[in-house]
Amino acid sequence: MAFLGQLPPALLALHAGALADRYSKRRQMITGDLVSAVVLTTVPVAAALGTLPLTQLVIVAVVQGAASVLHDAAAISLLPSLVDRSLIQRSNSRVGAIAAIAATAGSHLGAVLTAVLGPARALLGDVVPFLISAGCTARIQARETAPHRPEARRLREEIGEGACGTCTAMTGCGP
């Protein structure tokens, strides 16, 4: 299950980044949050009805992983429109620190909820933050700039450019 949850980031990260460049980042983030909330809610509902097959858990893991990739790619792309250029590095560091704290606290809270409520109902504790995130994202006032595209381009070309840019940033080599 853990492997299946990590499969979407490996397969969809470049696609999600290209989609964030093409469409509304806020909408992509809200959609990712709401999809995550809905698919996670299906687990305790199915468990309460006594019909929770392993297949459903696999689907939930994959869909929630894909929704998270879409959300995260858009969030990374939106940050520069929210803060001054001189604050990007500091802002990225703070976002990373908050994510690490949330992951650590969340795993401990998840363990407590699992012990108290049981594993299926404990997932409802994961649904609430997704709903809060969607609500907070909807309140963001920053205007998103429409990407400048002089000609129609294929998603594959944009993904290639993103991969090349990532490689260049990591290695320092130029095209």
Side-chain angles (χ1 to χ4, degrees):
M1 293 297 287
F3 168 76
L4 291 173
Q6 295 303 311
L7 199 55
L11 298 176
L12 300 176
L14 294 174
H15 294 81
L19 290 173
D21 289 342
R22 285 181 166 209
Y23 303 107
S24 168
K25 294 162 186 56
R26 287 178 50 235
R27 186 172 295 134
Q28 188 170 325
M29 291 170 64
I30 292 168
T31 300
D33 285 335
L34 294 178
V35 167
S36 291
V38 168
V39 298
L40 288 174
T41 301
T42 67
V43 174
V45 168
L49 297 173
T51 61
L52 181 60
L54 181 61
T55 307
Q56 180 178 351
L57 295 175
V58 168
I59 292 169
V60 167
V62 171
V63 171
Q64 199 280 319
S68 290
V69 170
L70 289 172
H71 176 279
D72 294 347
I76 290 167
S77 298
L78 183 62
L79 187 62
S81 66
L82 299 176
V83 299
D84 186 72
R85 185 174 173 90
S86 65
L87 299 174
I88 294 291
Q89 184 176 5
R90 182 181 303 164
S91 299
N92 276 326
S93 295
R94 288 180 177 169
V95 168
I98 290 169
I101 291 167
T104 302
S107 63
H108 293 298
L109 179 60
V112 170
L113 287 175
T114 300
V116 172
L117 302 175
R121 286 183 296 211
L123 281 178
L124 292 174
D126 285 342
V127 170
V128 173
F130 285 116
L131 296 175
I132 292 170
S133 175
C136 290
T137 303
R139 296 187 57 186
I140 293 174
Q141 298 293 320
R143 297 188 67 159
E144 294 183 51
T145 57
H148 175 67
R149 284 199 184 76
E151 75 282 343
R153 296 175 53 200
R154 298 181 70 168
L155 187 61
R156 186 181 321 179
E157 293 170 6
E158 291 182 40
I159 292 170
E161 285 178 10
C164 183
T166 300
C167 178
T168 300
M170 289 172 42
T171 64
C173 69

